[in-house]
Amino acid sequence: LLQCVPLIPEAQAVLDLVDQLPEQVQKGKFPVIAIEGLDATGKTTVTQSVSDTLGAVLSKSPPACISQWRKVFDDEPTIIRRAFYSLGNYIAASEIAEESTKSPVILDRYWHSTATYAIATEVTGGIQYLPPAHHPIYQWPCDLLKPDLVLLLTVSPEERLRRMEGRGMERTREEAELEANSVFRQKVEVCYQRMEDPACHVVDASPSREKVLQMVLSIIQNNCN
């Protein structure tokens, strides 16, 4: 991003925020729960419902303080886009640390999204060319605040497409790639499943909203005592 500053002024603004971060952030006593999944798997609905039910703070990555620049970086080459989203996780972590001292925190996407899309983009060919399971690339970064639980919402490709068409969603470059390239989508899904420490708890998000919410709350109760 430093090299981009002359061409992308917003890069300097992101770096300024990173420079203000404390060297080490500690999670508070309340649980931090990240909810992952491709678009149209129900993330927005589930994160809002879980947050309301638990009286939790609802947070996103990238956080609000830099999300206004997403469009700028989404139009840039992959390596620049990845740098923006990676740093977004570290900026979010600082906010999560503070909020988790006061209440539970529900995160709409976090590091696993950044990593899975990056790996799937960088690896050419099919899923057989992905790094094998238990490769270090699937490990959580040692210097990033770790959530207590990660939930991965999944629906079938057909159901996801039906939901997207029903909502008339504007698609990002990566979403368009997911629809046009089933191999890319498979690589993203396999990478999610190979993530470790913490691994993803897979949740079938096909049933009704109420049923999915019940399943999610049950997993949280069993894993975040």
Side-chain angles (χ1 to χ4, degrees), residues 12 15 29 34 41 80 82 103 105 108 111 116 118 123 140 148-149 157-158 169 183 199-200 207 213-214 224:
Q12 185 62 60
L15 290 168
K29 63 179 181 179
T41 53
I80 299 172
R82 288 288 149 242
S103 68
V105 179
D108 185 341
W111 176 260
T116 53
V123 174
W140 193 267
D148 296 281
L149 181 66
E158 296 77 21
M169 290 173 63
V183 174
C200 296
L213 177 59
Q214 285 176 355
C224 299

Side-chain angles (χ1 to χ4, degrees), residues 65-193:
C65 60
I66 64 168
S67 59
Q68 72 267 30
W69 301 316
R70 283 184 70 168
K71 183 71 175 70
V72 172
F73 288 96
D74 279 346
D75 290 337
E76 294 298 331
T78 302
I79 192 168
I80 299 172
R81 198 163 71 245
R82 288 288 149 242
F84 169 75
Y85 283 102
S86 294
L87 289 177
N89 288 303
Y90 285 85
I91 296 170
S94 181
E95 297 180 4
I96 296 163
E98 184 177 348
E99 294 292 352
S100 64
T101 64
K102 298 173 281 189
S103 68
V105 179
I106 305 298
L107 268 166
D108 185 341
R109 289 191 169 171
Y110 197 22
W111 176 260
H112 282 356
S113 292
T114 308
T116 53
Y117 279 89
I119 297 165
T121 301
E122 290 299 317
V123 174
T124 54
I127 58 176
Q128 68 270 30
Y129 296 106
L130 289 171
H134 311 303
H135 187 282
I137 203 166
Y138 300 120
Q139 295 286 324
W140 193 267
C142 60
D143 60 348
L144 180 63
L145 183 145
K146 189 185 296 185
D148 296 281
L149 181 66
V150 181
L151 301 172
L152 175 62
L153 305 183
T154 62
V155 296
S156 69
E158 296 77 21
E159 171 64 13
R160 206 173 72 84
L161 187 59
R162 186 188 68 77
R163 291 182 182 186
M164 290 187 76
E165 287 173 345
R167 286 156 54 182
M169 290 173 63
E170 183 181 344
R171 299 179 190 181
T172 63
R173 184 193 302 182
E174 283 167 344
E175 274 302 319
E177 173 100 23
L178 284 170
E179 301 315 320
N181 188 340
S182 63
V183 174
F184 180 70
R185 186 178 65 245
Q186 289 167 5
K187 287 192 292 186
V188 170
E189 290 170 342
V190 169
C191 287
Y192 267 128
Q193 292 162 8

